Amino acid sequence: MAHDPRPARVAGHSHRRRRGALIGLAGLVVGASLTFALEHPAEQTPSAAEVITLAAPPIHGTLVVDRRAWGSSITLTATGLPSTGQVSLVVRSTGGQVVDAAWRAIGPQRINVQAPTPFQPSAIAATTLVAHGRHTTVLWSWHRLGTEPGTT
């Protein structure tokens, strides 16, 4: 039986066309994705603007201020805070506005608290940890005006 080369050529040609179409389709998907990304930019990956060490025995930890498009996100990680009562992280801006992130202490375990603020990191003038009970007690504070973190 004689072999007809024509169907093989058509099949091979069809395979090349399919491969070309797939490459073209992949290019369209990449192009559309790139166009969408350029028209709808995601929030930039935040960079830690400041990392402040809490070293006011018995309190130890860090306060990390991350820059966001809308202000900043502050992450407090600490040990040595009161194990009962209410504790708050008070953030004051250079303009005098205050954000107070409060929580109820339920034990001596390590805490990790996140507090969003509308202030850019450079506009944060002070942060203070306060214990609320019979008396309000400042546990730790930091002021941008050149003072080092410590108790007041």
Side-chain angles (χ1 to χ4, degrees), residues 1-2 15 23 26-28 32 44 49 57 61 63 65 71 73 90 98 104-105 107 109 113 123 139 143 148 152:
M1 182 173 206
H15 175 70
I23 290 171
L28 283 173
Q44 292 180 344
L63 189 76
V65 182
S73 175
V90 180
V98 174
R104 175 129 338 256
Q109 71 275 12
V113 175
L139 302 170
H143 301 273
E148 290 297 315
T152 56

Short mmCIF file of all heavy atoms in Angstrom, two decimals, residues 1-2 15 23 26-28 32 44 49 57 61 63 65 71 73 90 98 104-105 107 109 113 123 139 143 148 152:
data_model
loop_
_atom_site.label_atom_id
_atom_site.label_comp_id
_atom_site.label_asym_id
_atom_site.label_seq_id
_atom_site.Cartn_x
_atom_site.Cartn_y
_atom_site.Cartn_z
N MET A 1 0.84 -1.16 0.00
CA MET A 1 0.00 0.00 0.00
C MET A 1 0.90 1.24 0.00
O MET A 1 1.81 1.34 0.78
CB MET A 1 -0.89 -0.05 1.22
CG MET A 1 -1.83 1.09 1.29
SD MET A 1 -2.93 0.75 2.65
CE MET A 1 -4.26 1.64 2.13
N ALA A 2 0.57 2.16 -0.84
CA ALA A 2 1.38 3.37 -0.99
C ALA A 2 1.03 4.37 0.11
O ALA A 2 -0.12 4.49 0.51
CB ALA A 2 1.14 3.98 -2.36
N HIS A 15 -0.28 20.96 13.51
CA HIS A 15 0.39 20.98 14.82
C HIS A 15 1.12 22.30 15.02
O HIS A 15 1.06 22.91 16.09
CB HIS A 15 1.35 19.79 14.92
CG HIS A 15 2.16 19.78 16.17
ND1 HIS A 15 1.61 19.52 17.40
CD2 HIS A 15 3.48 20.04 16.38
CE1 HIS A 15 2.55 19.60 18.32
NE2 HIS A 15 3.69 19.91 17.73
N ILE A 23 0.96 29.89 21.62
CA ILE A 23 1.95 30.91 21.96
C ILE A 23 1.32 32.30 21.87
O ILE A 23 1.50 33.15 22.73
CB ILE A 23 3.20 30.80 21.05
CG1 ILE A 23 3.98 29.53 21.41
CG2 ILE A 23 4.10 32.03 21.18
CD1 ILE A 23 5.10 29.20 20.45
N ALA A 26 -0.98 32.74 24.85
CA ALA A 26 -0.18 32.99 26.06
C ALA A 26 0.31 34.44 26.07
O ALA A 26 0.29 35.12 27.10
CB ALA A 26 1.00 32.03 26.14
N GLY A 27 0.72 34.94 24.92
CA GLY A 27 1.15 36.33 24.82
C GLY A 27 0.02 37.29 25.15
O GLY A 27 0.22 38.30 25.82
N LEU A 28 -1.19 36.98 24.68
CA LEU A 28 -2.34 37.83 24.99
C LEU A 28 -2.63 37.83 26.48
O LEU A 28 -2.93 38.87 27.07
CB LEU A 28 -3.58 37.34 24.23
CG LEU A 28 -3.63 37.71 22.75
CD1 LEU A 28 -4.82 37.03 22.09
CD2 LEU A 28 -3.71 39.21 22.59
N ALA A 32 -2.47 41.09 28.72
CA ALA A 32 -3.65 41.56 29.45
C ALA A 32 -3.33 41.67 30.95
O ALA A 32 -3.75 42.62 31.60
CB ALA A 32 -4.82 40.61 29.23
N GLN A 44 2.11 49.05 47.45
CA GLN A 44 3.51 48.66 47.50
C GLN A 44 3.76 47.81 48.72
O GLN A 44 3.12 47.97 49.75
CB GLN A 44 4.40 49.89 47.58
CG GLN A 44 4.40 50.72 46.33
CD GLN A 44 5.31 51.93 46.48
OE1 GLN A 44 5.70 52.31 47.57
NE2 GLN A 44 5.65 52.52 45.37
N ALA A 49 9.60 51.20 58.41
CA ALA A 49 10.14 52.55 58.52
C ALA A 49 10.99 52.66 59.78
O ALA A 49 12.01 53.31 59.78
CB ALA A 49 9.02 53.58 58.54
N PRO A 57 12.66 46.92 81.70
CA PRO A 57 12.32 45.75 82.51
C PRO A 57 11.14 46.02 83.45
O PRO A 57 11.07 47.10 84.03
CB PRO A 57 13.61 45.49 83.29
CG PRO A 57 14.69 46.06 82.40
CD PRO A 57 14.06 47.26 81.75
N GLY A 61 10.65 43.75 74.07
CA GLY A 61 9.99 43.48 72.80
C GLY A 61 10.38 44.48 71.73
O GLY A 61 11.38 45.18 71.85
N LEU A 63 8.62 47.30 68.65
CA LEU A 63 7.52 48.03 68.06
C LEU A 63 7.97 48.30 66.62
O LEU A 63 8.97 49.00 66.41
CB LEU A 63 7.32 49.34 68.82
CG LEU A 63 6.10 50.15 68.50
CD1 LEU A 63 4.88 49.49 69.14
CD2 LEU A 63 6.24 51.55 69.05
N VAL A 65 7.07 49.82 62.96
CA VAL A 65 6.20 50.75 62.25
C VAL A 65 6.40 50.52 60.75
O VAL A 65 7.49 50.77 60.23
CB VAL A 65 6.52 52.22 62.61
CG1 VAL A 65 5.57 53.16 61.89
CG2 VAL A 65 6.46 52.43 64.11
N GLY A 71 -1.26 55.29 55.70
CA GLY A 71 -0.71 55.70 57.00
C GLY A 71 0.38 54.75 57.43
O GLY A 71 1.40 54.61 56.77
N SER A 73 1.13 50.85 59.85
CA SER A 73 0.67 49.72 60.64
C SER A 73 1.74 49.49 61.70
O SER A 73 2.92 49.37 61.38
CB SER A 73 0.53 48.48 59.76
OG SER A 73 0.20 47.36 60.55
N VAL A 90 -0.84 53.78 72.84
CA VAL A 90 -1.30 55.10 72.43
C VAL A 90 -0.28 55.68 71.46
O VAL A 90 0.90 55.74 71.77
CB VAL A 90 -1.47 56.04 73.65
CG1 VAL A 90 -1.96 57.41 73.22
CG2 VAL A 90 -2.41 55.41 74.68
N VAL A 98 -4.59 61.38 68.18
CA VAL A 98 -4.24 60.20 68.97
C VAL A 98 -5.01 58.98 68.46
O VAL A 98 -6.19 59.06 68.15
CB VAL A 98 -4.59 60.43 70.46
CG1 VAL A 98 -4.37 59.16 71.27
CG2 VAL A 98 -3.76 61.57 71.02
N ARG A 104 -7.55 43.68 76.54
CA ARG A 104 -7.64 43.16 77.90
C ARG A 104 -6.58 42.08 78.07
O ARG A 104 -6.55 41.12 77.31
CB ARG A 104 -9.03 42.59 78.18
CG ARG A 104 -9.11 41.96 79.54
CD ARG A 104 -10.21 42.34 80.47
NE ARG A 104 -10.94 43.56 80.36
CZ ARG A 104 -10.76 44.61 81.17
NH1 ARG A 104 -9.82 44.61 82.08
NH2 ARG A 104 -11.51 45.67 81.07
N ALA A 105 -5.70 42.28 79.02
CA ALA A 105 -4.64 41.30 79.31
C ALA A 105 -5.27 40.06 79.94
O ALA A 105 -6.12 40.17 80.82
CB ALA A 105 -3.61 41.91 80.24
N GLY A 107 -3.15 37.12 80.61
CA GLY A 107 -2.09 36.24 81.08
C GLY A 107 -0.73 36.77 80.69
O GLY A 107 -0.62 37.72 79.92
N GLN A 109 1.51 35.61 78.79
CA GLN A 109 2.10 35.13 77.55
C GLN A 109 2.59 36.28 76.68
O GLN A 109 2.27 37.42 76.91
CB GLN A 109 1.12 34.26 76.75
CG GLN A 109 -0.03 35.01 76.13
CD GLN A 109 -1.20 35.23 77.07
OE1 GLN A 109 -1.10 35.02 78.26
NE2 GLN A 109 -2.31 35.66 76.52
N VAL A 113 0.29 42.57 68.99
CA VAL A 113 -0.84 43.45 68.71
C VAL A 113 -0.53 44.28 67.48
O VAL A 113 0.58 44.82 67.36
CB VAL A 113 -1.10 44.40 69.91
CG1 VAL A 113 -2.19 45.40 69.60
CG2 VAL A 113 -1.43 43.60 71.15
N ALA A 123 5.26 61.12 60.73
CA ALA A 123 4.32 61.98 61.47
C ALA A 123 3.99 61.43 62.85
O ALA A 123 3.20 62.02 63.58
CB ALA A 123 3.04 62.18 60.67
N LEU A 139 3.73 52.40 81.17
CA LEU A 139 4.68 51.29 81.26
C LEU A 139 5.95 51.54 80.46
O LEU A 139 7.03 51.10 80.82
CB LEU A 139 4.01 50.01 80.76
CG LEU A 139 2.73 49.59 81.47
CD1 LEU A 139 2.06 48.46 80.71
CD2 LEU A 139 3.04 49.18 82.90
N HIS A 143 9.54 58.91 72.36
CA HIS A 143 9.23 60.22 71.77
C HIS A 143 10.23 60.50 70.67
O HIS A 143 11.43 60.33 70.87
CB HIS A 143 9.28 61.33 72.82
CG HIS A 143 8.33 61.10 73.94
ND1 HIS A 143 7.02 61.51 73.91
CD2 HIS A 143 8.48 60.46 75.12
CE1 HIS A 143 6.41 61.14 75.01
NE2 HIS A 143 7.27 60.50 75.77
N GLU A 148 15.53 58.57 73.79
CA GLU A 148 15.55 57.12 73.61
C GLU A 148 14.34 56.50 74.30
O GLU A 148 13.82 57.05 75.26
CB GLU A 148 16.82 56.53 74.22
CG GLU A 148 18.07 56.90 73.45
CD GLU A 148 18.07 56.35 72.04
OE1 GLU A 148 17.72 55.16 71.86
OE2 GLU A 148 18.41 57.10 71.12
N THR A 152 8.76 56.47 81.69
CA THR A 152 8.61 57.87 82.13
C THR A 152 7.81 57.90 83.39
O THR A 152 7.13 56.99 83.74
CB THR A 152 7.89 58.71 81.05
OG1 THR A 152 6.64 58.08 80.76
CG2 THR A 152 8.72 58.86 79.81
#
